[in-house]
C-alpha cells in the first residue's frame, strides 16, 4: 500500500547505436491533437513542463507558461503517447495525472496548498477515478504515519500498547487491500484499475506437504516467480509509461533470475514474448535487454547481448533501427560470438622475437600450447597501463607455478618490433612472447582488442573461462575455478 506511488530513481545506460530507440519510442500514437488546460492557483508567470515516465526515467514532452492566474495550456497537433504524466515546475513535481483516453481534451484545476486533495477534473473520467483513489489513499497513509510514529515511541516501553498499534496497522493494510479490490471490481475496464492491479504483489498460497511430511521449502519461490506478472500486463504500453513497469522487469531479471547468461537469455525471451503483441512494449524490452547487457561490466554477460542481437536484430524484428544500424549490431554480435565464455578460443599463429632478424624464427600456435591453463596477454610496451600490469603478471607467473600449471601467451600489440624486443630483454619476460608480423593485426578484430592490456584465460582444452580480468584477480579466479571443477 505504502509503495504505490514511491517512485524509484534509477539509471539505464544507452549505447551509441541505440540512442535513437528512445527517441523513436516517442512517436505520436494518433492524429487526434491533445489540449490540456491546467490551472494551479498559487503559481504565476512560471514555466512548467509536461513530463512523462519511461523506463526508469522521466522525459520532458511539452512546455507551457502559467499566466498571472496560474493557467497553463499544453497543446499539440497530434496525440500524446498514453501513460502517466506529471506537471513539473522548477525541477519539482507538482502532481501526476493520466493521459490514457482517446479524447485528450480535458482540464484540471487545483492549488498549491494540496495539489491532489483540491484537484477538480473536467472531461476525463479516468482522472476523476485516479484522484479519487489518490485522495482516499492519502488519508489512510496519514493514519498509518501517525500510528507508525506512535509505535516507534512505545515499542520498547509498552509492549501491550505496541501490540494494539500493530493490530491497527494490519487492519489499515487490510482496509486498503479491500478498498482496492472493490475499486477494481466497480471499474473493471478503467486504466486506473489496471494500474492499481499492477502495483499489487503476488499472494503466495500455503506450501503443499511433501511425501516426507514436510512443507515444500521451494514452493513459495517457484510460485511467486511463475505468477510474478499476473497483475501486470507487459503488453500494455500505457503501463510502460508509468513508474511501475520497469521496476517490475528489473526486479524479475535481477532478483528472480539466476545471474548466468543462459538463465537471463531464457527469462528475457519470456518477457519479450509476453510483450510482443504490442510494438512499443516489445521494442522497449528488446532494447533494454540489448543495451543493458551490452554495457554490463559482469564478465560473460556479453553473451546476452549476442543472444539478443542474433535473435531479434538478425531476424529483422527490430523494426525501429535502420538497415545500416541493424547491420552494425549484428556484425558486432557475430564478432563477439566466437570469444564468449565457454567457447574454444580462436587460434592464433604468431612469431617469436627472432622474426625480422633471421629467417629461422619460431612460430607458436595458441591452440598447440600444452598447459592446464593458458593466459593470453595482449599488451604494448609503450602503453602506460601495460608498463604497470606486466611486472605484476611476471610476479604472478613466477609465484603461481607452485600451485597451478600456467603458461602465458603474450601477444605484442606493436607495429615497431625493436622496442618490443628491447622491453622483453630488459624485463626478462619469462613466457612465450609473440607478435603478429604478417597478418596486419587481424587478431585485434578476432579478440576484440581496442585497448591494452587485455587478459583471457583458457583451460587445458583451450576453452575461454575468463576474459578482461585484472592480474590481481587471476589467482583467486583459478582457485575458485578449480574447486568448481572438482565438484563436477
Amino acid at each position: 500500500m505504502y509503495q504505490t506511488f514511491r517512485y524509484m530513481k534509477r539509471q539505464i545506460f544507452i549505447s551509441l547505436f541505440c540512442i535513437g530507440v528512445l527517441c523513436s519510442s516517442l512517436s505520436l500514437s494518433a492524429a487526434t491533437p491533445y489540449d490540456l488546460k491546467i490551472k494551479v492557483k498559487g503559481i504565476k508567470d512560471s514555466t512548467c513542463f509536461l513530463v512523462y515516465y519511461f523506463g526508469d526515467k522521466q522525459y520532458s514532452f511539452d512546455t507551457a507558461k502559467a499566466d498571472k492566474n496560474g493557467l497553463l495550456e499544453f497543446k499539440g497537433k497530434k496525440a500524446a503517447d498514453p501513460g502517466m504524466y506529471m506537471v513539473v515546475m522548477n525541477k519539482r513535481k507538482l502532481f501526476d495525472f493520466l493521459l490514457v483516453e482517446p479524447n485528450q481534451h480535458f482540464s484540471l484545476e487545483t492549488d498549491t496548498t494540496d495539489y491532489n486533495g483540491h484537484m477538480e477534473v473536467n472531461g476525463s473520467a479516468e482522472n476523476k477515478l485516479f484522484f479519487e483513489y489518490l485522495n482516499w489513499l492519502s488519508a489512510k497513509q496519514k493514519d498509518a504515519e501517525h500510528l507508525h510514529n506512535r509505535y516507534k515511541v512505545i515499542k520498547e516501553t509498552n509492549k501491550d500498547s505496541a501490540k494494539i498499534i500493530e493490530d491497527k496497522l494490519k487492519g489499515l493494510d487490510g482496509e486498503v487491500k479491500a478498498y482496492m479490490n472493490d475499486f477494481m471490481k466497480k471499474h473493471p475496464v478503467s486504466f486506473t484499475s489496471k494500474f492499481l492491479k499492477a502495483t499489487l504483489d503476488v499472494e503466495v498460497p500455503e506450501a503443499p506437504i511433501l511425501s516426507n511430511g514436510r512443507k515444500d521449502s521451494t514452493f513459495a519461490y517457484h510460485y511467486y516467480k511463475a505468477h510474478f506478472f499476473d497483475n501486470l500486463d507487459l503488453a500494455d504500453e500505457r503501463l510502460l509509461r508509468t513508474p511501475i513497469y520497469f521496476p517490475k522487469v528489473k526486479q524479475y531479471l535481477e532478483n528472480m533470475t539466476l545471474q548466468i547468461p543462459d538463465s537471463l537469455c531464457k527469462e528475457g525471451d519470456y518477457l519479450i514474448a509476453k510483450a510482443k503483441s504490442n510494438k512499443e512494449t516489445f521494442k522497449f524490452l528488446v532494447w533494454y535487454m540489448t543495451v543493458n547487457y551490452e554495457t554490463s561490466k559482469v564478465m560473460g554477460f556479453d553473451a546476452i547481448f549476442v543472444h539478443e542481437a542474433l535473435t531479434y536484430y538478425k531476424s529483422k524484428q527490430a523494426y525501429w533501427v535502420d538497415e545500416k544500424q541493424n547491420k552494425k549490431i549484428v556484425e558486432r554480435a557475430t564478432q563477439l560470438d566466437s570469444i564468449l565464455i565457454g567457447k574454444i578460443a580462436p587460434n592464433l599463429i604468431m612469431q617469436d622475437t627472432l622474426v625480422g632478424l633471421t629467417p629461422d624464427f619460431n612460430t607458436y600456435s595458441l591452440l598447440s600450447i600444452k598447459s592446464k591453463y593458458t593466459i593470453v596477454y595482449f599488451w604494448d610496451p609503450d602503453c602506460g597501463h601495460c608498463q604497470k600490469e606486466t611486472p605484476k603478471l611476471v610476479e604472478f607467473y613466477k609465484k603461481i607455478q607452485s600451485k597451478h600449471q600456467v603458461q602465458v601467451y603474450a601477444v605484442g600489440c606493436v607495429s615497431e618490433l625493436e622496442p618490443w624486443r628491447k622491453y622483453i630483454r630488459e624485463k626478462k619476460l619469462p613466457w612465450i612472447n609473440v607478435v603478429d608480423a604478417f597478418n596486419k593485426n587481424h587478431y585485434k578484430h578476432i579478440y576484440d582488442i581496442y585497448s591494452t592490456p587485455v587478459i583471457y584465460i583458457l583451460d587445458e582444452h583451450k576453452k575461454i573461462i575468463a576474459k578482461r580480468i585484472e592480474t590481481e584477480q587471476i589467482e583467486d579466479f583459478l582457485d575458485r575455478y578449480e574447486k568448481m571443477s572438482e565438484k563436477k
Side-chain angles (χ1 to χ4, degrees):
M1 123 186 194
Y2 308 115
Q3 294 182 354
T4 304
F5 297 100
R6 191 176 295 170
Y7 304 141
M8 306 176 75
K9 294 182 179 178
R10 296 182 173 126
Q11 285 190 325
I12 189 170
F13 294 102
I14 305 177
S15 65
L16 289 176
F17 75 79
C18 275
I19 287 178
V21 174
L22 269 181
C23 298
S24 66
S25 72
L26 310 185
S27 58
L28 300 176
S29 57
T32 306
Y34 69 94
D35 189 352
L36 312 174
K37 294 181 174 63
I38 300 174
K39 186 175 183 180
V40 183
K41 297 174 185 176
I43 67 170
K44 61 180 180 179
D45 301 323
S46 299
T47 299
C48 292
F49 297 86
L50 182 62
V51 175
Y52 65 93
Y53 293 91
F54 191 82
D56 66 337
K57 288 184 174 293
Q58 299 88 41
Y59 296 88
S60 178
F61 179 71
D62 199 356
T63 60
K65 188 168 183 178
D67 64 16
K68 62 181 181 180
N69 298 314
L71 181 63
L72 302 155
E73 184 174 15
F74 296 105
K75 192 173 183 178
K77 294 181 179 180
K78 294 183 179 180
D81 289 322
M84 183 179 291
Y85 286 69
M86 68 174 86
V87 176
V88 173
M89 183 180 73
N90 296 328
K91 298 182 179 180
R92 181 173 62 89
K93 182 180 75 173
L94 305 187
F95 56 87
D96 291 309
F97 68 96
L98 300 178
L99 195 50
V100 294
E101 295 157 298
N103 180 15
Q104 296 186 350
H105 291 232
F106 58 85
S107 64
L108 304 173
E109 184 171 344
T110 186
D111 61 60
T112 56
T113 61
D114 189 345
Y115 294 109
N116 291 339
H118 295 165
M119 184 65 70
E120 295 180 14
V121 180
N122 289 290
S124 172
E126 280 289 357
N127 278 293
K128 285 184 178 180
L129 292 175
F130 183 63
F131 285 104
E132 174 188 325
Y133 171 74
L134 283 184
N135 289 321
W136 186 89
L137 181 65
S138 178
K140 296 303 172 184
Q141 286 177 324
K142 288 176 182 177
D143 292 342
E145 185 178 0
H146 173 75
L147 289 171
H148 273 299
N149 291 336
R150 179 64 182 155
Y151 180 78
K152 290 177 184 178
V153 174
I154 66 170
K155 65 179 180 178
E156 300 297 336
T157 58
N158 193 330
K159 301 291 185 181
D160 292 337
S161 295
K163 180 64 170 61
I164 292 172
I165 293 177
E166 287 177 1
D167 291 340
K168 286 183 177 180
L169 286 169
K170 289 179 182 178
L172 265 179
D173 198 41
E175 188 179 346
V176 170
K177 289 179 180 178
Y179 177 87
M180 291 177 72
N181 288 329
D182 184 63
F183 186 100
M184 289 184 285
K185 286 179 182 178
K186 287 181 178 179
H187 312 286
V189 298
S190 164
F191 175 75
T192 303
S193 291
K194 197 165 192 178
F195 175 75
L196 296 185
K197 184 179 180 181
T199 68
L200 296 177
D201 210 355
V202 177
E203 293 188 4
V204 180
E206 190 75 18
I209 304 299
L210 299 175
S211 58
N212 60 12
R214 297 179 180 177
K215 285 186 177 182
D216 184 352
S217 60
T218 65
F219 174 80
Y221 166 76
H222 290 296
Y223 184 94
Y224 187 75
K225 182 176 181 181
H227 295 271
F228 191 79
F229 291 103
D230 282 3
N231 295 330
L232 189 152
D233 182 359
L234 285 170
D236 190 332
E237 68 173 287
R238 298 172 299 175
L239 289 172
L240 175 60
R241 298 183 188 90
T242 72
I244 296 298
Y245 193 100
F246 179 73
K248 283 281 189 179
V249 169
K250 190 176 175 73
Q251 181 184 355
Y252 184 83
L253 290 172
E254 294 186 358
N255 300 335
M256 305 300 298
T257 302
L258 190 62
Q259 296 298 289
I260 59 174
D262 285 350
S263 295
L264 287 163
C265 288
K266 177 184 174 183
E267 298 300 345
D269 288 345
Y270 165 73
L271 297 182
I272 290 167
K274 290 179 76 69
K276 196 169 186 178
S277 62
N278 180 278
K279 292 179 68 175
E280 291 299 313
T281 53
F282 171 72
K283 174 168 62 177
F284 174 76
L285 288 175
V286 172
W287 168 81
Y288 175 70
M289 291 294 297
T290 305
V291 175
N292 185 53
Y293 294 107
E294 184 213 14
T295 57
S296 174
K297 294 182 179 179
V298 179
M299 184 171 64
F301 275 18
D302 53 348
I304 305 167
F305 161 73
V306 170
H307 172 80
E308 299 300 313
L310 298 184
T311 301
Y312 300 104
Y313 291 81
K314 189 175 182 180
S315 61
K316 303 295 180 67
Q317 295 183 65
Y319 63 88
W320 53 93
V321 294
D322 62 31
E323 187 174 347
K324 183 179 179 181
Q325 292 297 338
N326 193 82
K327 183 180 178 182
K328 288 182 179 179
I329 294 168
V330 173
E331 287 177 348
R332 173 67 175 158
T334 303
Q335 175 194 8
L336 293 177
D337 189 39
S338 64
I339 52 171
L340 296 177
I341 301 293
K343 296 286 185 80
I344 298 298
N347 196 21
L348 296 175
I349 299 176
M350 295 191 172
Q351 302 76 42
D352 69 0
T353 54
L354 295 176
V355 69
L357 297 177
T358 171
D360 297 325
F361 59 81
N362 298 302
T363 297
Y364 290 91
S365 167
L366 173 62
L367 297 188
S368 298
I369 294 174
K370 305 297 181 183
S371 180
K372 187 169 185 179
Y373 299 107
T374 303
I375 295 173
V376 188
Y377 180 53
F378 297 93
W379 70 291
D380 180 347
D382 292 329
C383 157
H385 191 186
C386 298
Q387 291 170 4
K388 295 178 181 178
E389 200 71 13
T390 302
K392 294 179 186 177
L393 189 58
V394 171
E395 183 180 347
F396 162 80
Y397 179 76
K398 293 176 179 179
K399 169 188 172 185
I400 202 65
Q401 298 303 324
S402 61
K403 185 188 292 188
H404 300 296
Q405 184 190 358
V406 176
Q407 182 55 274
V408 174
Y409 187 89
V411 179
C413 303
V414 298
S415 55
E416 298 291 332
L417 297 183
E418 190 49 43
W420 169 68
R421 293 191 189 100
K422 181 180 178 182
Y423 189 96
I424 292 169
R425 288 195 304 269
E426 291 179 352
K427 302 300 180 181
K428 299 179 180 178
L429 303 189
W431 45 57
I432 299 172
N433 292 289
V434 293
V435 69
D436 185 16
F438 305 117
N439 289 325
K440 298 181 179 180
N441 297 329
H442 184 54
Y443 67 90
K444 289 186 177 181
H445 176 77
I446 296 173
Y447 276 88
D448 194 33
I449 306 302
Y450 48 83
S451 64
T452 53
V454 174
I455 291 174
Y456 283 70
I457 303 179
L458 317 181
D459 69 5
E460 58 186 323
H461 305 294
K462 299 302 176 283
K463 181 176 70 177
I464 300 171
I465 58 175
K467 62 181 179 178
R468 300 192 177 278
I469 189 173
E470 299 291 333
T471 299
E472 292 89 341
Q473 300 172 307
I474 298 176
E475 183 173 5
D476 180 62
F477 172 81
L478 291 178
D479 289 345
R480 288 187 287 109
Y481 186 80
E482 288 266 300
K483 290 179 181 178
M484 289 173 58
S485 300
E486 291 170 0
K487 292 179 181 179
K488 293 182 179 179

